[in-house]
Amino acid sequence: MLLNNINFRNYFIGVLISNIGDYMDDIAMAQIIYLITKSTFITSYVFAIKIICSLISIFTSTVVDLGNKKRLLSSSCILQAFVILTLIISFRTKTLSIFILIVLVTMQALFSTFMKPCQNAILPRIVGKNDIIEARSLIEIANQFLQIFSYFSAGIIVMQIGLTGALIIDFLSFMVMPILLLFVNFKDVTIKGDKNYINEMKDGLKFIADNKLLKDVMLLTFIGNFLVAPVDSLIVALISSRNYRPDTYALYMTSLALGGIITGLLYKKINLHLSPKHVLAVGYLYGMVSLIVLCIQNLFLMYFSGFLMGISTYIVSVMNASLIQIYTPVDKSARTFSIFKCLSFLASPLGIVIAGALGEYMNLGYVFAIYGLLMSAAVLGSFLLEKTPIPAQTN
């Protein structure tokens, strides 16, 4: 696909380069905020604003579906680059106050609400429905490699050339996508005349409410994210409570990444022999076993659990996104994905808070095991998904 579809190749490269900037941003932004404010509360604002903006994206995605996707994506990238450049200059000239910092972080978060909806709206216009799963798989496996490389590189960059070095890379990454979009050609339909965005947003919600398959996929996603999210935030507490070696967390995350990468390399062969709902069920099943294994105090099983979770995360994320892309008309892609993303964001903190509260009264390994047993609902739900014909691709 990368060799034969030049539009997808340019899109693919642009998305990956912008993701490198995002990973650099994750490392540098939180450090700068804490360095300036010395406040854990304000530092947590970086992550809180992303959750808030996931709600706002339901509206901005409506703008994307009705507007010019290439122009909106280019504008979003350029505006975010301008915010990062302003942050770099203010930081270097020591004029960066807490107020300016919060304003800049908020502006970037708001501009970013157009990026993912635009990317999700463009993909089905340059890739046929029969190739969506392969396209999503390619993007996901590349992201697995990039995430490891970027986080590792970000640490070296921060140590060698400082926080502004990471932010400069972030700035440059935002400028690449608008250039590559010049070489991505597709029929970019823009709705002319008066637009009632509130009604269009309601229309997107109604479309999902009337589509049983999409509702079921989103419900499964909510359940899966609710049960898996505590792993990211509480695995360190579990490792600490068992007095494992200091490098255990890093090795656990490495095993998780390896699980995703190996699955990505084999994914096309797996998908050829199983129906989508069975692939999804297998993905949730790996997640279920991964969580249950964590109740056993054994270092090897800890790494094995991470490997299984990597397999699960890869399969579920690719298949969920593919099913939504395949069964959503292209003129509603941005809205549908934004609602999907919003549900994912809402499920995560809820699952983390409940798991954290249970961890105050019982062994955290048992909490993970309970969550693993509850994951059986997602496994069973995947088997019960309706088999629906793939709709024809229309603009």
Side-chain angles (χ1 to χ4, degrees), residues 311-343:
I311 296 174
S312 173
T313 301
Y314 185 93
I315 292 175
V316 171
S317 61
V318 169
M319 188 51 64
N320 277 343
S322 299
L323 287 172
I324 291 172
Q325 196 93 69
I326 289 169
Y327 292 101
T328 301
V330 291
D331 62 330
K332 291 182 173 65
S333 291
R335 278 170 284 180
T336 304
F337 269 99
S338 290
I339 294 166
F340 170 69
K341 182 181 177 183
C342 182
L343 285 173

Side-chain angles (χ1 to χ4, degrees), residues 194-261:
D194 295 333
K195 308 179 184 74
N196 190 320
Y197 290 107
I198 300 299
N199 286 342
E200 291 294 340
M201 185 173 67
K202 291 178 180 177
D203 181 57
L205 292 168
K206 184 177 183 301
F207 166 72
I208 294 172
D210 293 340
N211 189 309
K212 188 176 186 306
L213 178 67
L214 291 183
K215 278 194 300 184
D216 290 345
V217 169
M218 289 190 181
L219 176 61
L220 291 176
T221 301
F222 185 90
I223 294 170
N225 279 16
F226 176 92
L227 297 173
V228 168
V231 174
D232 288 335
S233 59
L234 298 176
I235 195 70
V236 174
L238 180 65
I239 291 170
S240 177
S241 68
R242 291 177 176 177
N243 297 314
Y244 287 148
R245 293 166 21 180
D247 61 349
T248 300
Y249 177 64
L251 292 173
Y252 173 85
M253 295 303 292
T254 302
S255 65
L256 191 150
L258 285 173
I261 289 169

Side-chain angles (χ1 to χ4, degrees), residues 8 10 22 46 56 94 100 146 183 212 251 260 288 335:
F8 176 69
N10 290 327
D22 288 340
V46 177
I56 298 173
K94 302 187 186 306
I100 293 174
L146 277 180
F183 304 98
K212 188 176 186 306
L251 292 173
M288 174 181 169
R335 278 170 284 180

Side-chain angles (χ1 to χ4, degrees), residues 352-373:
I352 292 168
V353 169
I354 293 175
L358 290 173
E360 295 291 323
Y361 300 98
M362 61 191 300
N363 185 293
L364 201 51
Y366 295 145
V367 175
F368 284 125
I370 291 170
Y371 270 44
L373 293 173

Side-chain angles (χ1 to χ4, degrees), residues 51-52 54-55 58 222 225-226 339-352:
I51 296 174
I52 294 169
S54 71
L55 298 171
I58 296 176
F222 185 90
N225 279 16
F226 176 92
I339 294 166
F340 170 69
K341 182 181 177 183
C342 182
L343 285 173
S344 301
F345 265 124
L346 291 174
S348 298
L350 189 62
I352 292 168

Side-chain angles (χ1 to χ4, degrees), residues 176-196:
V176 171
M177 177 65 90
I179 296 171
L180 287 171
L181 281 175
L182 296 174
F183 304 98
V184 177
N185 299 308
F186 61 91
K187 187 178 179 182
D188 197 349
V189 178
T190 303
I191 308 300
K192 304 293 184 181
D194 295 333
K195 308 179 184 74
N196 190 320

Side-chain angles (χ1 to χ4, degrees), residues 248-319:
T248 300
Y249 177 64
L251 292 173
Y252 173 85
M253 295 303 292
T254 302
S255 65
L256 191 150
L258 285 173
I261 289 169
I262 292 171
T263 305
L265 295 172
L266 301 174
Y267 189 75
K268 191 172 182 179
K269 292 182 180 179
I270 297 170
N271 196 51
L272 287 174
H273 300 290
L274 294 173
S275 66
K277 68 178 184 179
H278 291 140
V279 174
L280 195 58
V282 168
Y284 283 121
L285 181 62
Y286 274 111
M288 174 181 169
V289 175
S290 172
L291 289 168
I292 292 173
V293 164
L294 285 174
C295 75
I296 305 172
Q297 188 166 340
N298 180 282
L299 189 58
F300 171 78
L301 289 178
M302 168 75 72
Y303 300 142
F304 180 62
S305 170
F307 186 78
L308 293 180
M309 186 57 73
I311 296 174
S312 173
T313 301
Y314 185 93
I315 292 175
V316 171
S317 61
V318 169
M319 188 51 64

